[in-house]
């Protein structure tokens, strides 16, 4: 039923998130003028999220050239957000980073929240693999039970793609999301 998706999209767009200074912004303003990839990290010190960002960072300029905004949302405090931006070397990149300490955007995006996704056998197995690749958890900066996700939101609010993470280390491949952005641009240009 498409009416449920429209309501969910409107609810997500109405959520207010915070920047590193504590100033609020309506999430819907992010995709008001252009498509956006919205990446929800589990928390600001998550090993899986660090790995995901390492994969994303080299593609940020390409996504900007496609006219697609990239937004990262975490659940820690504004001060933890500022530290995250510095540690992940995001300053100067075409990306906006916000926090949602109340988890309202996570709920509106229908993202899971569970201990099993954080410390269950598959999550711990992913954590071991991530550690071997140099991505370790830091001190928790947000809600440890919260799972992440990735949305591709078209200008105006239609959710074209949604990956809702089931556990630590589970994220949409960046190459898949870039492919969606390329397809959306081709559609906009009349090539699809």
């Amino acid at each position: 039923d498409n009416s449920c998706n429209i309501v969910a999209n409107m609810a997500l767009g109405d959520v207010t998130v915070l920047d590193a200074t504590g100033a609020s912004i309506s999430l819907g303003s992010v995709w008001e003028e252009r498509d956006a990839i919205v990446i929800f990290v589990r928390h600001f010190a998550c090993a899986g999220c660090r790995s995901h960002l390492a994969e994303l960072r080299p593609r940020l300029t390409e996504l900007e050239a496609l006219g697609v905004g990239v937004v990262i949302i975490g659940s820690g405090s504004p001060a933890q957000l500022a530290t995250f931006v510095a540690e992940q070397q995001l300053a100067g990149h075409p990306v906006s980073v916000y926090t949602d300490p109340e988890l309202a955007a996570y709920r509106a995006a229908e993202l899971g929240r569970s201990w099993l996704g954080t410390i269950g056998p598959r999550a711990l197995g992913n954590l071991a693999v991530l550690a071997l690749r140099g991505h370790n958890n830091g001190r928790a900066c947000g809600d440890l039970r919260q799972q992440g996700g990735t949305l591709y939101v078209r200008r105006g609010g239609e959710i074209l793609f949604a990956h809702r993470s089931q556990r630590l280390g589970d994220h949409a491949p960046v190459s898949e999301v870039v492919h969606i952005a390329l397809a959306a641009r081709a559609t906009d240009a009349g090539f699809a």
Side-chain angles (χ1 to χ4, degrees):
D1 180 3
N2 287 337
S3 62
C4 293
N5 289 334
I6 292 168
V7 171
N9 296 350
M10 288 173 38
L12 182 61
D14 291 339
V15 171
T16 300
V17 292
L18 306 174
D19 67 15
T21 69
S24 62
I25 180 173
S26 168
L27 197 50
S29 68
V30 169
W31 52 77
E32 190 172 46
E33 299 290 324
R34 64 183 185 163
D35 291 7
I37 296 169
V38 183
I39 297 172
F40 291 87
V41 296
R42 292 184 55 254
H43 62 84
F44 288 132
C46 170
C49 303
R50 291 174 181 194
S51 171
H52 190 189
L53 293 180
E55 184 184 341
L56 174 69
R57 200 175 301 103
R59 308 298 296 265
L60 289 172
T61 303
E62 177 184 5
L63 290 164
E64 176 70 15
L66 289 170
V68 177
V70 177
V71 176
I72 299 167
I73 300 173
S75 66
S77 70
Q80 291 168 333
L81 165 61
T83 300
F84 172 77
V85 169
E87 287 177 352
Q88 294 304 309
Q89 302 171 356
L90 295 172
H93 287 283
V95 62
S96 300
V97 188
Y98 302 105
T99 190
D100 176 24
E102 303 298 321
L103 304 176
Y106 289 84
R107 285 189 301 275
E110 300 175 354
L111 301 178
R113 188 168 177 266
S114 76
W115 279 116
L116 187 60
T118 301
I119 59 172
R122 292 181 73 188
L124 294 177
N126 286 346
L127 187 58
V129 170
L130 290 165
L132 291 173
R133 294 180 182 159
H135 301 287
N136 296 301
N137 273 336
R139 188 169 179 218
C141 298
D143 190 309
L144 287 176
R145 291 175 43 198
Q146 183 60 57
Q147 302 306 306
T150 301
L151 305 177
Y152 188 98
V153 185
R154 294 286 281 166
R155 184 180 69 205
E158 175 192 2
I159 296 176
L160 190 62
F161 169 84
H163 174 87
R164 293 172 176 91
S165 303
Q166 299 299 308
R167 73 196 62 79
L168 183 151
D170 171 26
H171 66 267
V174 171
S175 59
E176 181 178 350
V177 180
V178 170
H179 178 76
I180 292 166
L182 287 166
R185 294 292 66 79
T187 299
D188 291 346
F191 294 119

